[in-house]
């Protein structure tokens, strides 16, 4: 068996160590004679798995007791509607920053519930740079300010945390959570679909300041009320137990790697190398403003897009998988999340240089 290098944007690669441990305990979890997948979510075994995962995430991110950590379903996309449903708190508008496809989807969904003010946008520069703090036209009476720290498809990333004063800051951290240290206290709510940097698809992590809970819009379905989930420790109904367990293994793995600070060093090195290989070649290009280049998702184009297909075929033969760019933008995209080792990036750069020699 050979594991190839996987540059998938999501569901993304998981650490080998995590998959091996899951494999080892799949049939018989800790001598209990059954799989973790086959246990009641209310069993003391699963509850301890769940609590340990939450505590490890709290340790990794420095999440204080002012915040609830929820393990939900429905993906980040469901959060696009849960956020306005829960955080409007009687107000009728929310501020959003538009930096690309995921921002736009969040904006579209929020517009069903309130007036959305787009207080900053990358539209003018073709989504190649984020608006500066000074350019944001923030509203003091907004229910919250929503932004997308890393646009997974465009490869555009904020190099600062927007300051929103007393207005709670909400971040879609799906593709960049745990990639580096972050001051959680600056946020009202953070959410992330697990399948990029946390674990398998099917789990969504929400970190929310407890004082913001308890204000869901009238008529909201029970499952859309954060407080219901917070009060039940995310076990109001059957949670995604296997995803929660695997996320817990990833959190342990991250701790073993030295936590998010150590990951940040590796991630920055991986990204720097790859962008530098792109920049020093006339064959590859990435259009993003240098300060806003994503550490996690690196889109690039070939000088001649007629070579795209051949590039992808030969990359696959070389054991480099899932480099095709998102269907909406074309070109290539290398997603280099925490679980993608530096050796994978080195192998990709080698391949790119060889391909260029043959075809430039
Ligand atoms: C992948 C992604 C989403 C969508 O996540 P789902 O879990 O598929 O709903 C939303 N926002 C960002 C930034 C993403 O990367």
């Amino acid at each position: 068996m050979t594991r190839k290098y996987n540059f998938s944007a999501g569901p993304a690669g998981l650490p080998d160590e995590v998959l091996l441990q899951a494999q080892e305990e799949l049939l018989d979890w800790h001598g209990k004679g059954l799989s973790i997948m086959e246990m009641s979510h209310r069993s003391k075994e699963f509850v301890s798995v769940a609590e340990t995962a939450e505590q490890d995430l709290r340790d990794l991110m420095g999440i204080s007791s002012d915040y609830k950590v929820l393990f939900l379903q429905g993906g980040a996309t469901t959060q696009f509607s849960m956020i306005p449903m829960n955080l409007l708190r009687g107000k009728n508008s929310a501020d959003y920053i538009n930096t690309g496809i995921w921002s736009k989807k969040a904006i579209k969904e929020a517009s069903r519930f309130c007036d959305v003010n787009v207080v900053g946008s990358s539209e003018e520069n073709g989504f190649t740079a984020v608006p500066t703090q000074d350019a944001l036209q923030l509203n003091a009476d907004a229910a919250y300010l929503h932004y997308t720290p890393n646009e997974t498809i465009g490869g555009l990333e904020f190099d600062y945390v927007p300051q929103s004063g007393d207005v709670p800051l909400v971040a879609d951290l799906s593709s960049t959570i745990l990639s580096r240290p972050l001051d959680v206290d600056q946020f009202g709510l953070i959410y992330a679909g697990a399948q990029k940097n946390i674990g398998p698809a099917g789990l969504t992590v929400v970190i929310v300041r407890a004082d913001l809970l308890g204000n869901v819009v009238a008529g909201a379905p029970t499952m859309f009320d954060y407080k219901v989930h917070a009060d039940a420790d995310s076990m109001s109904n059957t949670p995604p137990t296997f995803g929660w367990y695997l996320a817990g293994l990833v959190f342990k793995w991250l701790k073993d790697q030295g936590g998010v600070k150590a990951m940040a060093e590796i991630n920055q090195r991986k990204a720097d190398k790859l962008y530098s290989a792109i920049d020093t070649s006339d064959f590859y290009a990435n259009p993003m403003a240098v300060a806003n280049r994503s550490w996690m998702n690196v889109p690039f184009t070939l000088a001649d897009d007629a070579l795209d297909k051949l590039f992808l075929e030969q990359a696959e033969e070389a054991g480099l998988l899932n480099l095709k760019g998102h269907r909406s933008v074309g070109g290539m995209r290398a997603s280099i999340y925490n679980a993608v080792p530096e050796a994978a990036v080195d192998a990709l750069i080698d391949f790119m240089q060889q391909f260029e020699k043959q075809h430039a």
Side-chain angles (χ1 to χ4, degrees), residues 116-172:
V116 169
N117 294 310
V118 178
V119 297
S121 173
S122 303
E123 195 126 36
E124 301 89 75
N125 56 50
F127 297 98
T128 57
V130 306
T132 60
Q133 174 76 46
D134 289 346
L136 302 177
Q137 316 255 305
L138 301 176
N139 297 294
D141 60 348
Y144 57 88
L145 168 64
H146 179 284
Y147 82 118
T148 311
N150 183 61
E151 285 282 355
T152 319
I153 294 170
L156 183 67
E157 178 157 357
F158 275 80
D159 55 340
Y160 71 98
V161 174
Q163 300 301 302
S164 52
D166 292 336
V167 172
L169 182 62
V170 175
D172 176 357

Side-chain angles (χ1 to χ4, degrees), residues 49 75 80 82 101 122 132 144 176 179 187 220 256 276 294 316:
V49 165
F80 295 164
M82 278 183 89
I101 290 171
S122 303
T132 60
Y144 57 88
T176 190
S179 66
F187 296 85
D256 288 346
S276 150
S294 169
E316 194 170 326

Side-chain angles (χ1 to χ4, degrees), residues 9 74-78 80 102 148 150-152 172-175 191 193-196 204 337:
T77 304
T78 298
F80 295 164
W102 291 116
T148 311
N150 183 61
E151 285 282 355
T152 319
D172 176 357
L173 225 61
S174 292
S175 50
Y191 64 104
Q195 68 273 24
K196 277 87 185 228
T204 312
Y337 300 118

